[in-house]
Amino acid sequence: MVIWTVANQKGGVGKTTTTVTLGGLLAERGHRVLLVDTDPHASLTYYFGIDAEELEVSVFDIFMRGKQITREEILQSLCPTQAEGLDILPASMSLATLDRAMGNKGGMGLLLKKALQLIDADYDYVLIDCPPVMGVLMVNALAACQRVLIPVQTEFLALKGLERMIATMALMRGSKQALSYTIIATMYDKRTRASLEAYKALKETYQDQVWSSVVPIDTKFRDASLAQTPPHMFASNARGVFAYNTLLTYLLQLTPEA
C-alpha cells in the first residue's frame, strides 16, 4: 500500500481538489484507492455528498478506539464513491475535539498509520487530505505516509504557508529519515504577473522538490464538486484534469509499485 498525504498549513490552496483528482485518476488506472478525510471541516467528505453531521462512524472512531480498532471496524467506516475502485474514510465535526482530548497523551502520532496497516491488503493507494493546522491530525497524516504532496497556490501569501509546512516536516523528522515531498503549483494563471513571479520563486527556492509543471486555474474543478463527481469523470478533457494526469504519471515514477 502506497500512502500519500496532501498537506499545507494554508487553506484554499487546492488540497481537496488534489486529493479527489489524483484519487480518481488512480482508480481509473485500475488501482484500489482509499481517500482519508482528516479535516474537521470535512470538505472531502462533503465533496462526495456525505453529510459529516449524520455519520455514525468516521475517521474519528479510529482515534477514539486507538489500538483496539479492528480491520472489520475500519472497513465498516468506509463509504463508496461514484467512481469504481474509489472509497472514502469520511471525517466528522468531532475531529475538532481531538487536540483537546488527546494532544497531551503519548503515542498518539501513529494511530492512523497503524489503522491503515490493518487494511494494507485491501487498497493499493491511500491519499490523506489534511487540515491546514498543525496538531494531532496532521502529525498522524505525516507519520503515516511515504510522500507528502504540498499544493501551493501561485501567489506570495501561499509561499509563506509553504515555509511553515517545510518547517513542520523538519521538526517531525528528528533523528529519522527526512520526509519525501513534492511541491505542486496550483491555481496557476499565466495571464497574471503574480502567478509567474510566485512560480519562479518556488523553483528558485525549492528547485527539484517542485514538480516541473503546474495545475492551471480551471472552473471545471468547481463544476465537478457541485456534481459531487471526481473531475476526470465530469470533464475528462479539462486542462486541469490533463495537468493532474501528468502529475500522477510523474509521481508514479517516484513511487514503488503498490
Side-chain angles (χ1 to χ4, degrees):
M1 178 193 286
V2 175
I3 303 175
W4 294 336
T5 286
V6 184
N8 192 326
Q9 287 180 253
K10 184 182 185 305
V13 297
K15 292 190 297 296
T16 298
T17 297
T18 297
T19 304
V20 171
T21 310
L22 289 177
L25 290 170
L26 279 166
E28 184 185 43
R29 296 189 188 197
H31 298 290
R32 300 168 301 167
V33 184
L34 176 64
L35 308 181
V36 180
D37 192 352
T38 63
D39 190 342
H41 292 107
S43 297
L44 180 62
T45 299
Y46 283 117
Y47 186 104
F48 290 104
I50 302 167
D51 190 336
E53 296 184 32
E54 295 184 357
L55 290 171
E56 293 184 6
V57 289
S58 70
V59 71
F60 178 73
D61 296 277
I62 286 178
F63 290 96
M64 296 309 293
R65 291 277 290 139
K67 296 176 182 178
Q68 283 70 49
I69 194 81
T70 66
R71 174 178 175 273
E72 289 70 28
E73 287 175 309
I74 297 170
L75 294 176
Q76 288 170 6
S77 303
L78 308 183
C79 299
T81 72
Q82 296 88 331
E84 184 178 353
L86 182 66
D87 296 333
I88 180 172
L89 177 55
S92 62
M93 302 301 184
S94 49
L95 284 173
T97 67
L98 273 184
D99 277 309
R100 184 171 67 250
M102 311 181 92
N104 294 325
K105 295 182 180 180
M108 294 296 104
L110 297 175
L111 291 178
L112 183 58
K113 179 177 182 177
K114 291 176 179 177
L116 292 175
Q117 287 173 345
L118 295 176
I119 57 171
D120 179 80
D122 297 279
Y123 292 96
D124 304 314
Y125 287 86
V126 177
L127 281 80
I128 306 172
D129 192 15
C130 275
V133 292
M134 183 60 180
V136 170
L137 292 163
M138 183 178 284
V139 167
N140 269 267
L142 293 176
C145 72
Q146 290 96 31
R147 178 169 295 274
V148 184
L149 309 182
I150 312 176
V152 180
Q153 184 180 357
T154 44
E155 53 102 17
F156 278 95
L157 286 178
L159 300 190
K160 292 296 181 182
L162 174 60
E163 290 176 10
R164 291 194 296 273
M165 190 67 229
I166 300 297
T168 293
M169 292 192 298
L171 283 173
M172 282 194 61
R173 182 191 318 162
S175 59
K176 299 178 182 179
Q177 185 177 359
L179 285 166
S180 298
Y181 66 92
T182 300
I183 297 167
I184 304 160
T186 61
M187 305 180 193
Y188 183 79
D189 187 346
K190 64 182 180 181
R191 300 168 299 178
T192 67
R193 182 178 177 184
S195 276
L196 295 170
E197 293 293 333
Y199 183 67
K200 179 181 178 182
L202 271 180
K203 291 292 291 182
E204 289 176 350
T205 304
Y206 299 101
Q207 301 178 16
D208 292 343
Q209 301 295 342
V210 182
W211 174 47
S212 61
S213 191
V214 298
V215 177
I217 286 181
D218 191 339
T219 57
K220 295 298 184 184
F221 289 136
R222 186 182 305 124
D223 295 339
S225 68
L226 287 173
Q228 301 175 351
T229 303
H232 80 281
M233 295 176 64
F234 181 83
S236 60
N237 295 323
R239 57 181 182 168
V241 172
F242 177 83
Y244 273 112
N245 235 328
T246 304
L247 170 62
L248 179 57
T249 297
Y250 168 76
L251 292 173
L252 291 178
Q253 292 171 350
L254 301 178
T255 306
E257 288 281 326

